[in-house]
Structure formats: structure tokens, C-alpha cells
Amino acid sequence: MSSKPRIPKTGSERAQLEGWLDTQRSLVRMKCEGLSDTDAHRQLLTTSPLMTVAGIVAHLRWVEYSWFHQNIDAVPDEGQTPWTEDGHPDAEMFVSGVPLGRLLDDYDAECERSRAIAARYELDDVEKESFGQPAASVRYILIHMIEETARHLGHLDIIRELLDGQVGYLKPGNP
């Protein structure tokens, strides 16, 4: 796997938040390097069959979309999301047959759009659409996305180790 990106240890609050989020985002692709489509879709957890590498990447893509496009920018869902009113709550994770490369490219493109949206707002600005919940600031959303992405990187760590023994940032046998 590639080397881990470094985050500057000094800088503005915004630079730090965006740096940490971008680092977490980059690690998603790193965790998927060299993985076959078959393994990316392999269901290893019988109690959580949607928890696959492919399902996690798809989930992260749609979480980016949800928080930045729908919440911050209030872009209405006109059928582009996988969610429907009576549909499965984890519909974004139903990606059987979608190549991992496409899922990663879609995720990267969504992250670019999210960066552009966040850049138009101040950290204290609040989301335009909060779906009946108290509105969150852009700062809160950036912190939440760091947490969300990092948490799912932990899932990717475990699944990847179960699939082929790859752990951390190193290949097996490479100290």
C-alpha cells in the first residue's frame, strides 16, 4: 500500500479540519489498493452482509453527498440517491456487480464536490437543510465527516485483513 499522507502540524483551524478529512478520504483508496472486484464484494460478516469493501466505499460516497450537497447546499434529491421513502435504510450499500474502481472513482469525485461546497462557506455557517434536526455548522459537519470516514476505515482495516492479510499501511512481511 502507498505511504500514509502527512498532515501539517500547524495551520488554521480550517486547514487542520480539511487536512484531516482529506487524509482520511485518501486512506479509503489506499485500503482498497490491489483488491479484486470479487474480494471487494465478498461478504465476510454473516450478521452484516452489506459490510463489504464495496459497500463501505459506496456508503462513504453517499454520506459525502448527503452532508455536503443535501444538508449544506440543500440540493433536493431528484432521484439521484439510492434512498427512497419506503426503501432499505442502507440502500447505498447495495452495489453488487459495480466494479470497485468505479465506486472509488465515484467516491473521489464526490469528495471533490464536497470540498468545493465546503469552501464556499465559513466554519460557523449552518446547513440549509437539517431534515427536522437542529442545524449543524460546517465545522460540525467537517468534524463528523472525519469521524465517519475514520470509523469506516477501521471497518476496511478489519475486512481487508480477513480478505488477504493486509494490515495497516504495510504489505504482509514488509516491516
mmCIF file of all heavy atoms in Angstrom, residues 128-168:
data_model
loop_
_atom_site.group_PDB
_atom_site.id
_atom_site.type_symbol
_atom_site.label_atom_id
_atom_site.label_comp_id
_atom_site.label_asym_id
_atom_site.label_seq_id
_atom_site.Cartn_x
_atom_site.Cartn_y
_atom_site.Cartn_z
ATOM 1 N N LYS A 128 -28.259 24.326 5.321
ATOM 2 C CA LYS A 128 -29.524 24.890 4.869
ATOM 3 C C LYS A 128 -30.671 23.915 5.063
ATOM 4 O O LYS A 128 -31.826 24.313 5.160
ATOM 5 C CB LYS A 128 -29.425 25.293 3.398
ATOM 6 C CG LYS A 128 -28.460 26.444 3.167
ATOM 7 C CD LYS A 128 -28.342 26.747 1.685
ATOM 8 C CE LYS A 128 -27.330 27.849 1.452
ATOM 9 N NZ LYS A 128 -27.043 28.029 0.024
ATOM 10 N N GLU A 129 -30.363 22.639 5.074
ATOM 11 C CA GLU A 129 -31.384 21.602 5.253
ATOM 12 C C GLU A 129 -30.921 20.658 6.343
ATOM 13 O O GLU A 129 -29.847 20.067 6.243
ATOM 14 C CB GLU A 129 -31.593 20.830 3.951
ATOM 15 C CG GLU A 129 -32.529 19.652 4.076
ATOM 16 C CD GLU A 129 -33.925 20.021 4.557
ATOM 17 O OE1 GLU A 129 -34.644 20.701 3.800
ATOM 18 O OE2 GLU A 129 -34.290 19.648 5.692
ATOM 19 N N SER A 130 -31.717 20.518 7.402
ATOM 20 C CA SER A 130 -31.314 19.635 8.503
ATOM 21 C C SER A 130 -32.329 18.528 8.760
ATOM 22 O O SER A 130 -32.231 17.815 9.739
ATOM 23 C CB SER A 130 -31.082 20.448 9.774
ATOM 24 O OG SER A 130 -32.257 21.145 10.138
ATOM 25 N N PHE A 131 -33.303 18.397 7.863
ATOM 26 C CA PHE A 131 -34.268 17.297 7.914
ATOM 27 C C PHE A 131 -34.913 17.140 9.293
ATOM 28 O O PHE A 131 -34.983 16.056 9.848
ATOM 29 C CB PHE A 131 -33.614 15.989 7.449
ATOM 30 C CG PHE A 131 -33.128 16.075 6.024
ATOM 31 C CD1 PHE A 131 -31.808 16.383 5.743
ATOM 32 C CD2 PHE A 131 -34.007 15.900 4.965
ATOM 33 C CE1 PHE A 131 -31.360 16.491 4.432
ATOM 34 C CE2 PHE A 131 -33.565 16.006 3.655
ATOM 35 C CZ PHE A 131 -32.249 16.306 3.383
ATOM 36 N N GLY A 132 -35.359 18.273 9.837
ATOM 37 C CA GLY A 132 -36.081 18.262 11.104
ATOM 38 C C GLY A 132 -35.210 18.226 12.345
ATOM 39 O O GLY A 132 -35.713 18.228 13.455
ATOM 40 N N GLN A 133 -33.899 18.180 12.182
ATOM 41 C CA GLN A 133 -32.965 18.162 13.307
ATOM 42 C C GLN A 133 -32.407 19.575 13.499
ATOM 43 O O GLN A 133 -32.480 20.397 12.600
ATOM 44 C CB GLN A 133 -31.818 17.189 13.017
ATOM 45 C CG GLN A 133 -32.253 15.761 12.796
ATOM 46 C CD GLN A 133 -32.884 15.167 14.038
ATOM 47 O OE1 GLN A 133 -32.381 15.319 15.143
ATOM 48 N NE2 GLN A 133 -34.012 14.495 13.862
ATOM 49 N N PRO A 134 -31.821 19.869 14.655
ATOM 50 C CA PRO A 134 -31.153 21.167 14.810
ATOM 51 C C PRO A 134 -30.060 21.305 13.750
ATOM 52 O O PRO A 134 -29.345 20.349 13.463
ATOM 53 C CB PRO A 134 -30.549 21.105 16.216
ATOM 54 C CG PRO A 134 -31.361 20.075 16.933
ATOM 55 C CD PRO A 134 -31.780 19.070 15.892
ATOM 56 N N ALA A 135 -29.950 22.486 13.161
ATOM 57 C CA ALA A 135 -28.968 22.707 12.099
ATOM 58 C C ALA A 135 -27.546 22.611 12.636
ATOM 59 O O ALA A 135 -27.245 23.093 13.725
ATOM 60 C CB ALA A 135 -29.200 24.067 11.449
ATOM 61 N N ALA A 136 -26.682 21.991 11.857
ATOM 62 C CA ALA A 136 -25.273 21.826 12.219
ATOM 63 C C ALA A 136 -24.431 22.844 11.469
ATOM 64 O O ALA A 136 -24.742 23.222 10.340
ATOM 65 C CB ALA A 136 -24.807 20.414 11.867
ATOM 66 N N SER A 137 -23.335 23.253 12.081
ATOM 67 C CA SER A 137 -22.404 24.165 11.423
ATOM 68 C C SER A 137 -21.523 23.378 10.454
ATOM 69 O O SER A 137 -21.385 22.152 10.545
ATOM 70 C CB SER A 137 -21.523 24.871 12.460
ATOM 71 O OG SER A 137 -20.636 23.940 13.062
ATOM 72 N N VAL A 138 -20.894 24.102 9.547
ATOM 73 C CA VAL A 138 -19.935 23.488 8.638
ATOM 74 C C VAL A 138 -18.803 22.860 9.453
ATOM 75 O O VAL A 138 -18.333 21.767 9.134
ATOM 76 C CB VAL A 138 -19.413 24.519 7.616
ATOM 77 C CG1 VAL A 138 -18.257 23.959 6.804
ATOM 78 C CG2 VAL A 138 -20.554 24.979 6.704
ATOM 79 N N ARG A 139 -18.385 23.511 10.524
ATOM 80 C CA ARG A 139 -17.353 22.954 11.421
ATOM 81 C C ARG A 139 -17.792 21.582 11.936
ATOM 82 O O ARG A 139 -17.029 20.609 11.881
ATOM 83 C CB ARG A 139 -17.119 23.894 12.598
ATOM 84 C CG ARG A 139 -16.123 23.363 13.627
ATOM 85 C CD ARG A 139 -15.984 24.299 14.829
ATOM 86 N NE ARG A 139 -15.327 25.545 14.455
ATOM 87 C CZ ARG A 139 -15.959 26.712 14.248
ATOM 88 N NH1 ARG A 139 -17.266 26.813 14.408
ATOM 89 N NH2 ARG A 139 -15.273 27.796 13.888
ATOM 90 N N TYR A 140 -19.024 21.500 12.452
ATOM 91 C CA TYR A 140 -19.554 20.231 12.969
ATOM 92 C C TYR A 140 -19.528 19.169 11.873
ATOM 93 O O TYR A 140 -19.123 18.025 12.115
ATOM 94 C CB TYR A 140 -20.982 20.438 13.471
ATOM 95 C CG TYR A 140 -21.662 19.158 13.897
ATOM 96 C CD1 TYR A 140 -21.647 18.755 15.223
ATOM 97 C CD2 TYR A 140 -22.306 18.344 12.971
ATOM 98 C CE1 TYR A 140 -22.253 17.574 15.620
ATOM 99 C CE2 TYR A 140 -22.915 17.159 13.356
ATOM 100 C CZ TYR A 140 -22.885 16.781 14.677
ATOM 101 O OH TYR A 140 -23.479 15.613 15.053
ATOM 102 N N ILE A 141 -19.957 19.545 10.666
ATOM 103 C CA ILE A 141 -20.027 18.575 9.576
ATOM 104 C C ILE A 141 -18.633 18.084 9.199
ATOM 105 O O ILE A 141 -18.431 16.884 8.985
ATOM 106 C CB ILE A 141 -20.788 19.172 8.375
ATOM 107 C CG1 ILE A 141 -22.277 19.343 8.769
ATOM 108 C CG2 ILE A 141 -20.641 18.309 7.128
ATOM 109 C CD1 ILE A 141 -23.104 20.164 7.813
ATOM 110 N N LEU A 142 -17.648 18.970 9.139
ATOM 111 C CA LEU A 142 -16.283 18.537 8.844
ATOM 112 C C LEU A 142 -15.769 17.577 9.917
ATOM 113 O O LEU A 142 -15.162 16.546 9.602
ATOM 114 C CB LEU A 142 -15.354 19.743 8.704
ATOM 115 C CG LEU A 142 -15.561 20.602 7.454
ATOM 116 C CD1 LEU A 142 -14.729 21.879 7.555
ATOM 117 C CD2 LEU A 142 -15.238 19.836 6.184
ATOM 118 N N ILE A 143 -16.018 17.894 11.170
ATOM 119 C CA ILE A 143 -15.592 17.006 12.260
ATOM 120 C C ILE A 143 -16.325 15.671 12.168
ATOM 121 O O ILE A 143 -15.717 14.603 12.303
ATOM 122 C CB ILE A 143 -15.807 17.669 13.635
ATOM 123 C CG1 ILE A 143 -14.854 18.860 13.798
ATOM 124 C CG2 ILE A 143 -15.615 16.662 14.772
ATOM 125 C CD1 ILE A 143 -15.169 19.757 14.981
ATOM 126 N N HIS A 144 -17.618 15.735 11.920
ATOM 127 C CA HIS A 144 -18.395 14.494 11.793
ATOM 128 C C HIS A 144 -17.864 13.647 10.635
ATOM 129 O O HIS A 144 -17.743 12.424 10.764
ATOM 130 C CB HIS A 144 -19.878 14.790 11.578
ATOM 131 C CG HIS A 144 -20.650 13.559 11.228
ATOM 132 N ND1 HIS A 144 -20.867 12.546 12.142
ATOM 133 C CD2 HIS A 144 -21.198 13.157 10.066
ATOM 134 C CE1 HIS A 144 -21.536 11.571 11.545
ATOM 135 N NE2 HIS A 144 -21.752 11.917 10.294
ATOM 136 N N MET A 145 -17.526 14.273 9.527
ATOM 137 C CA MET A 145 -17.039 13.510 8.378
ATOM 138 C C MET A 145 -15.663 12.909 8.640
ATOM 139 O O MET A 145 -15.355 11.829 8.126
ATOM 140 C CB MET A 145 -17.038 14.378 7.119
ATOM 141 C CG MET A 145 -18.444 14.697 6.616
ATOM 142 S SD MET A 145 -19.447 13.215 6.291
ATOM 143 C CE MET A 145 -18.473 12.451 4.996
ATOM 144 N N ILE A 146 -14.839 13.570 9.437
ATOM 145 C CA ILE A 146 -13.573 12.961 9.858
ATOM 146 C C ILE A 146 -13.880 11.695 10.647
ATOM 147 O O ILE A 146 -13.316 10.627 10.389
ATOM 148 C CB ILE A 146 -12.726 13.944 10.702
ATOM 149 C CG1 ILE A 146 -12.252 15.119 9.859
ATOM 150 C CG2 ILE A 146 -11.539 13.209 11.351
ATOM 151 C CD1 ILE A 146 -11.692 16.278 10.665
ATOM 152 N N GLU A 147 -14.787 11.807 11.605
ATOM 153 C CA GLU A 147 -15.165 10.662 12.444
ATOM 154 C C GLU A 147 -15.789 9.554 11.601
ATOM 155 O O GLU A 147 -15.439 8.382 11.738
ATOM 156 C CB GLU A 147 -16.129 11.132 13.537
ATOM 157 C CG GLU A 147 -16.652 10.032 14.436
ATOM 158 C CD GLU A 147 -17.890 9.329 13.886
ATOM 159 O OE1 GLU A 147 -18.697 9.949 13.177
ATOM 160 O OE2 GLU A 147 -18.036 8.114 14.176
ATOM 161 N N GLU A 148 -16.716 9.907 10.751
ATOM 162 C CA GLU A 148 -17.426 8.924 9.913
ATOM 163 C C GLU A 148 -16.443 8.165 9.024
ATOM 164 O O GLU A 148 -16.480 6.940 8.955
ATOM 165 C CB GLU A 148 -18.467 9.652 9.052
ATOM 166 C CG GLU A 148 -19.195 8.787 8.067
ATOM 167 C CD GLU A 148 -20.388 8.058 8.654
ATOM 168 O OE1 GLU A 148 -20.793 8.371 9.777
ATOM 169 O OE2 GLU A 148 -20.921 7.169 7.963
ATOM 170 N N THR A 149 -15.578 8.899 8.356
ATOM 171 C CA THR A 149 -14.631 8.269 7.443
ATOM 172 C C THR A 149 -13.626 7.416 8.213
ATOM 173 O O THR A 149 -13.334 6.282 7.820
ATOM 174 C CB THR A 149 -13.927 9.338 6.591
ATOM 175 O OG1 THR A 149 -14.921 10.179 5.982
ATOM 176 C CG2 THR A 149 -13.078 8.704 5.508
ATOM 177 N N ALA A 150 -13.120 7.921 9.324
ATOM 178 C CA ALA A 150 -12.151 7.161 10.122
ATOM 179 C C ALA A 150 -12.776 5.886 10.689
ATOM 180 O O ALA A 150 -12.128 4.835 10.709
ATOM 181 C CB ALA A 150 -11.593 8.035 11.241
ATOM 182 N N ARG A 151 -14.021 5.989 11.142
ATOM 183 C CA ARG A 151 -14.696 4.803 11.686
ATOM 184 C C ARG A 151 -14.808 3.717 10.619
ATOM 185 O O ARG A 151 -14.515 2.537 10.863
ATOM 186 C CB ARG A 151 -16.082 5.188 12.211
ATOM 187 C CG ARG A 151 -16.857 4.036 12.819
ATOM 188 C CD ARG A 151 -18.070 4.517 13.611
ATOM 189 N NE ARG A 151 -18.720 5.683 13.061
ATOM 190 C CZ ARG A 151 -19.764 5.635 12.220
ATOM 191 N NH1 ARG A 151 -20.241 4.484 11.821
ATOM 192 N NH2 ARG A 151 -20.315 6.761 11.793
ATOM 193 N N HIS A 152 -15.179 4.122 9.411
ATOM 194 C CA HIS A 152 -15.311 3.131 8.348
ATOM 195 C C HIS A 152 -13.964 2.660 7.825
ATOM 196 O O HIS A 152 -13.858 1.540 7.317
ATOM 197 C CB HIS A 152 -16.215 3.662 7.235
ATOM 198 C CG HIS A 152 -17.646 3.716 7.668
ATOM 199 N ND1 HIS A 152 -18.325 2.621 8.131
ATOM 200 C CD2 HIS A 152 -18.508 4.751 7.737
ATOM 201 C CE1 HIS A 152 -19.562 2.963 8.461
ATOM 202 N NE2 HIS A 152 -19.698 4.258 8.247
ATOM 203 N N LEU A 153 -12.917 3.461 7.982
ATOM 204 C CA LEU A 153 -11.575 2.969 7.681
ATOM 205 C C LEU A 153 -11.212 1.818 8.614
ATOM 206 O O LEU A 153 -10.538 0.872 8.212
ATOM 207 C CB LEU A 153 -10.541 4.087 7.799
ATOM 208 C CG LEU A 153 -10.446 5.027 6.616
ATOM 209 C CD1 LEU A 153 -9.616 6.247 6.976
ATOM 210 C CD2 LEU A 153 -9.888 4.322 5.396
ATOM 211 N N GLY A 154 -11.661 1.898 9.851
ATOM 212 C CA GLY A 154 -11.457 0.782 10.781
ATOM 213 C C GLY A 154 -12.142 -0.480 10.289
ATOM 214 O O GLY A 154 -11.579 -1.585 10.378
ATOM 215 N N HIS A 155 -13.349 -0.324 9.763
ATOM 216 C CA HIS A 155 -14.042 -1.480 9.185
ATOM 217 C C HIS A 155 -13.253 -2.020 7.990
ATOM 218 O O HIS A 155 -13.095 -3.240 7.842
ATOM 219 C CB HIS A 155 -15.453 -1.098 8.728
ATOM 220 C CG HIS A 155 -16.348 -0.691 9.847
ATOM 221 N ND1 HIS A 155 -17.177 0.399 9.766
ATOM 222 C CD2 HIS A 155 -16.556 -1.210 11.074
ATOM 223 C CE1 HIS A 155 -17.856 0.524 10.884
ATOM 224 N NE2 HIS A 155 -17.483 -0.442 11.701
ATOM 225 N N LEU A 156 -12.770 -1.101 7.137
ATOM 226 C CA LEU A 156 -11.968 -1.542 5.987
ATOM 227 C C LEU A 156 -10.709 -2.270 6.439
ATOM 228 O O LEU A 156 -10.311 -3.265 5.821
ATOM 229 C CB LEU A 156 -11.607 -0.353 5.093
ATOM 230 C CG LEU A 156 -12.742 0.241 4.267
ATOM 231 C CD1 LEU A 156 -12.269 1.495 3.536
ATOM 232 C CD2 LEU A 156 -13.313 -0.775 3.291
ATOM 233 N N ASP A 157 -10.077 -1.789 7.516
ATOM 234 C CA ASP A 157 -8.895 -2.469 8.067
ATOM 235 C C ASP A 157 -9.207 -3.928 8.393
ATOM 236 O O ASP A 157 -8.471 -4.835 8.009
ATOM 237 C CB ASP A 157 -8.430 -1.795 9.367
ATOM 238 C CG ASP A 157 -7.579 -0.572 9.154
ATOM 239 O OD1 ASP A 157 -6.973 -0.435 8.083
ATOM 240 O OD2 ASP A 157 -7.522 0.254 10.086
ATOM 241 N N ILE A 158 -10.292 -4.114 9.113
ATOM 242 C CA ILE A 158 -10.654 -5.470 9.555
ATOM 243 C C ILE A 158 -11.008 -6.349 8.377
ATOM 244 O O ILE A 158 -10.531 -7.483 8.259
ATOM 245 C CB ILE A 158 -11.817 -5.411 10.565
ATOM 246 C CG1 ILE A 158 -11.356 -4.724 11.851
ATOM 247 C CG2 ILE A 158 -12.376 -6.802 10.844
ATOM 248 C CD1 ILE A 158 -12.487 -4.307 12.767
ATOM 249 N N ILE A 159 -11.837 -5.847 7.479
ATOM 250 C CA ILE A 159 -12.253 -6.651 6.332
ATOM 251 C C ILE A 159 -11.057 -6.977 5.454
ATOM 252 O O ILE A 159 -10.898 -8.110 4.997
ATOM 253 C CB ILE A 159 -13.368 -5.930 5.543
ATOM 254 C CG1 ILE A 159 -14.641 -5.873 6.395
ATOM 255 C CG2 ILE A 159 -13.643 -6.639 4.215
ATOM 256 C CD1 ILE A 159 -15.729 -4.990 5.820
ATOM 257 N N ARG A 160 -10.202 -5.997 5.215
ATOM 258 C CA ARG A 160 -9.024 -6.242 4.377
ATOM 259 C C ARG A 160 -8.116 -7.294 5.007
ATOM 260 O O ARG A 160 -7.595 -8.180 4.313
ATOM 261 C CB ARG A 160 -8.257 -4.927 4.165
ATOM 262 C CG ARG A 160 -7.118 -5.031 3.172
ATOM 263 C CD ARG A 160 -7.644 -5.309 1.757
ATOM 264 N NE ARG A 160 -6.595 -5.694 0.857
ATOM 265 C CZ ARG A 160 -6.095 -4.915 -0.096
ATOM 266 N NH1 ARG A 160 -6.539 -3.690 -0.244
ATOM 267 N NH2 ARG A 160 -5.162 -5.374 -0.878
ATOM 268 N N GLU A 161 -7.922 -7.241 6.302
ATOM 269 C CA GLU A 161 -7.097 -8.259 6.957
ATOM 270 C C GLU A 161 -7.719 -9.644 6.822
ATOM 271 O O GLU A 161 -7.021 -10.631 6.576
ATOM 272 C CB GLU A 161 -6.878 -7.915 8.430
ATOM 273 C CG GLU A 161 -5.926 -8.879 9.107
ATOM 274 C CD GLU A 161 -5.546 -8.474 10.512
ATOM 275 O OE1 GLU A 161 -5.952 -7.393 10.964
ATOM 276 O OE2 GLU A 161 -4.829 -9.258 11.161
ATOM 277 N N LEU A 162 -9.034 -9.717 6.944
ATOM 278 C CA LEU A 162 -9.712 -11.003 6.782
ATOM 279 C C LEU A 162 -9.623 -11.514 5.348
ATOM 280 O O LEU A 162 -9.539 -12.723 5.119
ATOM 281 C CB LEU A 162 -11.180 -10.884 7.197
ATOM 282 C CG LEU A 162 -11.449 -10.699 8.690
ATOM 283 C CD1 LEU A 162 -12.916 -10.361 8.931
ATOM 284 C CD2 LEU A 162 -11.038 -11.947 9.471
ATOM 285 N N LEU A 163 -9.638 -10.596 4.389
ATOM 286 C CA LEU A 163 -9.596 -10.999 2.981
ATOM 287 C C LEU A 163 -8.231 -11.506 2.560
ATOM 288 O O LEU A 163 -8.120 -12.563 1.936
ATOM 289 C CB LEU A 163 -9.986 -9.820 2.075
ATOM 290 C CG LEU A 163 -11.454 -9.465 2.031
ATOM 291 C CD1 LEU A 163 -11.664 -8.128 1.328
ATOM 292 C CD2 LEU A 163 -12.259 -10.565 1.340
ATOM 293 N N ASP A 164 -7.178 -10.747 2.858
ATOM 294 C CA ASP A 164 -5.872 -11.124 2.315
ATOM 295 C C ASP A 164 -4.691 -10.861 3.237
ATOM 296 O O ASP A 164 -3.540 -10.937 2.820
ATOM 297 C CB ASP A 164 -5.635 -10.436 0.970
ATOM 298 C CG ASP A 164 -5.562 -8.916 1.055
ATOM 299 O OD1 ASP A 164 -5.563 -8.358 2.168
ATOM 300 O OD2 ASP A 164 -5.508 -8.283 -0.022
ATOM 301 N N GLY A 165 -4.963 -10.540 4.497
ATOM 302 C CA GLY A 165 -3.875 -10.365 5.452
ATOM 303 C C GLY A 165 -3.240 -8.990 5.456
ATOM 304 O O GLY A 165 -2.358 -8.737 6.268
ATOM 305 N N GLN A 166 -3.645 -8.097 4.552
ATOM 306 C CA GLN A 166 -3.066 -6.743 4.541
ATOM 307 C C GLN A 166 -3.518 -6.002 5.786
ATOM 308 O O GLN A 166 -4.686 -6.001 6.130
ATOM 309 C CB GLN A 166 -3.497 -5.982 3.286
ATOM 310 C CG GLN A 166 -2.940 -6.591 2.035
ATOM 311 C CD GLN A 166 -2.069 -5.618 1.257
ATOM 312 O OE1 GLN A 166 -1.595 -4.631 1.790
ATOM 313 N NE2 GLN A 166 -1.870 -5.921 -0.003
ATOM 314 N N VAL A 167 -2.553 -5.373 6.454
ATOM 315 C CA VAL A 167 -2.860 -4.648 7.673
ATOM 316 C C VAL A 167 -2.200 -3.270 7.635
ATOM 317 O O VAL A 167 -1.169 -3.085 6.991
ATOM 318 C CB VAL A 167 -2.383 -5.394 8.948
ATOM 319 C CG1 VAL A 167 -3.126 -6.711 9.111
ATOM 320 C CG2 VAL A 167 -0.884 -5.644 8.919
ATOM 321 N N GLY A 168 -2.783 -2.339 8.339
ATOM 322 C CA GLY A 168 -2.207 -1.016 8.464
ATOM 323 C C GLY A 168 -1.868 -0.399 7.127
ATOM 324 O O GLY A 168 -2.647 -0.451 6.195
#
